[in-house]
Amino acid sequence: MAFIGLVGLVGCTSDDTAEPTAAEPATVQLMSYVAEYEEPNETNGTTRAWTPPTGYQCLDELSDKSISVFFTEHPANDEMEEEFFFKRGDKWRVSKELSTGTTYYLYGYTPHHESIISSIAPIAGKTYADGAVLTLNNLPTITTDDICVIVGAKNGKSDEDDNGLTTGQFSYISKVAKDPGPGDYGNYVYLLFDHLYSCIDLRFSVEEKYNQLRTIKLKKVELMAMVLNEATGVKTPLKKKTRADITLRKTTDGTSPIVHNNTEQIVFTPDETSGNADEPLFTSAEGYKLTTSFSDFTGCFMSQGISDFIIRSTYDVYDKKPDGTDGNLIRENCVAENKLNIMHLFSPARIASRGMKYSIKLIVNPTYLYVLSEPDLDNPTIRVS
């Protein structure tokens, strides 16, 4: 689970930030916290445990990603528009004109993408005080962004007092502040987020003896995935785009608002017209130099039903001079494909789980070296460790 008091996310990068042009938008004081992904236990499977929102780690250096948020009320407004928390200069702003003392129920996601179409509705027969159904259309199924949804909101008292922040509660009482000065704690907003996707961490290195002879520069890493239909056993390629319908229910005991009756309330509906997903997690025209130490390349993916991956790696091979520096380019745009199965790597899990991080070691190693003076015969491959 990710715990974030506005705003910071592991591995999130996005140029699609929102900065509305509203005149003199209100300043808000935002605090940043996040917990690490859970990692699968190869003996016990991919179980997830909820950790209470205490002992946060502050991540100020990552607190520049815009947040899409709906300021819902009870009774509900006739027209509900998407609003934003966004960074301008060194201050956080809110796009909506807030009323001091008004109780809002905050639902949304981060980081904001212009391509994602979001909407909100109350749970059937309920009000926004009881929860909401957040719909995200046109979601990328594979992305370098850690897309997360709000699972708790609260107005804070200061940068060290979250005013009883807990998951499953979404009420926030606004306090408008225009560029608060010293001693004015202003309008503190705390949010908790949960990961919508799973994370994959591809850890590349070069075999030690081979590294003494060759330099490997990684130019591209592409991720493809297969979806398992557990009823039929049929596997089909993951589509590029999907819709997520996320039901968030108010809880009073700190449990996850996404889980109801031991079932996660997230439904992914793939866009069958969007083509198969084969997204690059990393690209570099000049190439990234790999060493005997592991270099991490991470991405996130829609977890529902994912059973297999295909990792396609493109890299250049250079020989080395006697002093160990890079020599001639001897093989350009080598391509290696590794087919990975969740159950084989992380038994007994059959499919990936939301909020889990799957770390996979990939070691560049040669299949053969004929004559070192004829480097065109050198043919390295990548093996899973």
Side-chain angles (χ1 to χ4, degrees), residues 325-339:
T325 59
D326 299 344
N328 302 308
L329 173 62
I330 58 177
R331 291 183 68 87
E332 188 174 16
N333 294 327
C334 294
V335 177
E337 281 195 357
N338 294 90
K339 297 181 180 180

Side-chain angles (χ1 to χ4, degrees), residues 6 25-31 71 84-86 90-96 98 172 175-180 185-189:
L6 296 181
T27 300
V28 290
Q29 304 289 330
L30 306 182
M31 313 306 298
F71 288 81
F84 306 96
F85 291 112
F86 61 97
D90 62 348
K91 291 184 173 62
W92 280 93
R93 309 282 181 171
V94 58
S95 62
K96 181 178 176 60
L98 301 176
Y172 154 74
K175 176 185 176 184
V176 176
K178 298 284 188 179
D179 295 327
Y185 286 108
N187 191 15
Y188 272 93
V189 185

Side-chain angles (χ1 to χ4, degrees), residues 96-201:
K96 181 178 176 60
E97 184 175 348
L98 301 176
S99 300
T100 296
T102 299
T103 298
Y104 299 99
Y105 303 93
L106 306 188
Y107 304 98
Y109 78 96
T110 193
H112 167 72
H113 281 256
E114 293 289 349
S115 61
I116 296 175
I117 303 170
S118 62
S119 60
I120 196 81
I123 299 172
K126 304 287 186 179
T127 71
Y128 283 121
D130 303 308
V133 179
L134 176 67
T135 297
L136 303 178
N137 267 299
N138 205 40
L139 277 168
T141 54
I142 297 175
T143 175
T144 54
D145 284 322
D146 182 8
I147 301 175
C148 295
V149 294
I150 296 173
V151 293
K154 192 77 172 179
N155 49 291
K157 294 180 179 179
S158 72
D159 59 354
E160 296 181 351
D161 188 348
D162 61 20
N163 197 25
L165 176 69
T166 186
T167 53
Q169 297 184 24
F170 299 90
S171 62
Y172 154 74
I173 303 173
S174 66
K175 176 185 176 184
V176 176
K178 298 284 188 179
D179 295 327
D184 181 0
Y185 286 108
N187 191 15
Y188 272 93
V189 185
Y190 280 79
L191 299 181
L192 300 179
F193 284 88
D194 191 2
H195 304 287
L196 185 60
Y197 284 179
S198 302
C199 177
I200 188 167
D201 180 14

Side-chain angles (χ1 to χ4, degrees), residues 12-304:
C12 285
T13 56
S14 176
D15 295 327
D16 257 342
T17 56
E19 185 175 329
T21 58
E24 294 299 324
T27 300
V28 290
Q29 304 289 330
L30 306 182
M31 313 306 298
S32 304
Y33 307 91
V34 65
E36 294 181 353
Y37 272 95
E38 297 288 334
E39 299 213 19
N41 183 307
E42 294 188 16
T43 301
N44 299 322
T46 55
T47 57
R48 301 179 70 223
W50 175 260
T51 303
T54 57
Y56 292 179
Q57 179 184 3
C58 189
L59 294 176
D60 288 338
E61 67 275 14
L62 296 178
S63 59
D64 59 355
K65 311 299 186 298
S66 293
I67 299 170
S68 168
V69 61
F70 290 92
F71 288 81
T72 67
E73 298 181 56
H74 175 61
N77 294 334
D78 293 334
E79 296 184 4
M80 186 59 58
E81 294 185 358
E82 182 182 36
E83 303 287 350
F84 306 96
F85 291 112
F86 61 97
K87 197 78 173 282
R88 180 179 292 173
D90 62 348
K91 291 184 173 62
W92 280 93
R93 309 282 181 171
V94 58
S95 62
K96 181 178 176 60
E97 184 175 348
L98 301 176
S99 300
T100 296
T102 299
T103 298
Y104 299 99
Y105 303 93
L106 306 188
Y107 304 98
Y109 78 96
T110 193
H112 167 72
H113 281 256
E114 293 289 349
S115 61
I116 296 175
I117 303 170
S118 62
S119 60
I120 196 81
I123 299 172
K126 304 287 186 179
T127 71
Y128 283 121
D130 303 308
V133 179
L134 176 67
T135 297
L136 303 178
N137 267 299
N138 205 40
L139 277 168
T141 54
I142 297 175
T143 175
T144 54
D145 284 322
D146 182 8
I147 301 175
C148 295
V149 294
I150 296 173
V151 293
K154 192 77 172 179
N155 49 291
K157 294 180 179 179
S158 72
D159 59 354
E160 296 181 351
D161 188 348
D162 61 20
N163 197 25
L165 176 69
T166 186
T167 53
Q169 297 184 24
F170 299 90
S171 62
Y172 154 74
I173 303 173
S174 66
K175 176 185 176 184
V176 176
K178 298 284 188 179
D179 295 327
D184 181 0
Y185 286 108
N187 191 15
Y188 272 93
V189 185
Y190 280 79
L191 299 181
L192 300 179
F193 284 88
D194 191 2
H195 304 287
L196 185 60
Y197 284 179
S198 302
C199 177
I200 188 167
D201 180 14
L202 302 177
R203 312 195 68 209
F204 282 85
S205 71
V206 184
E207 192 273 333
E208 186 173 0
K209 291 183 178 179
Y210 186 56
N211 188 64
Q212 296 173 8
L213 304 173
R214 297 289 185 262
T215 293
I216 304 296
K217 292 188 178 181
L218 192 63
K219 298 173 76 174
K220 183 185 291 187
V221 180
E222 298 167 278
L223 178 66
M224 292 154 279
M226 300 295 290
V227 180
L228 172 66
N229 185 319
E230 294 201 82
T232 64
V234 174
K235 298 178 182 180
T236 55
L238 180 67
K239 298 301 179 184
K240 284 183 180 290
K241 299 290 184 178
T242 190
R243 185 186 78 213
D245 294 292
I246 308 149
T247 301
L248 299 148
R249 298 176 188 273
K250 176 184 176 181
T251 63
T252 58
D253 56 1
T255 54
S256 172
I258 297 177
V259 178
H260 183 63
N261 292 334
N262 296 319
T263 302
E264 288 197 341
Q265 304 295 295
I266 301 177
V267 177
F268 291 105
T269 305
D271 180 355
E272 298 295 337
T273 67
S274 62
N276 296 337
D278 54 352
E279 301 304 308
L281 300 184
F282 169 79
T283 57
S284 171
E286 64 275 10
Y288 179 90
K289 184 176 179 178
L290 298 178
T291 68
T292 55
S293 299
F294 286 104
S295 297
D296 294 80
F297 301 86
T298 60
C300 299
F301 60 94
M302 184 201 76
S303 58
Q304 186 167 293

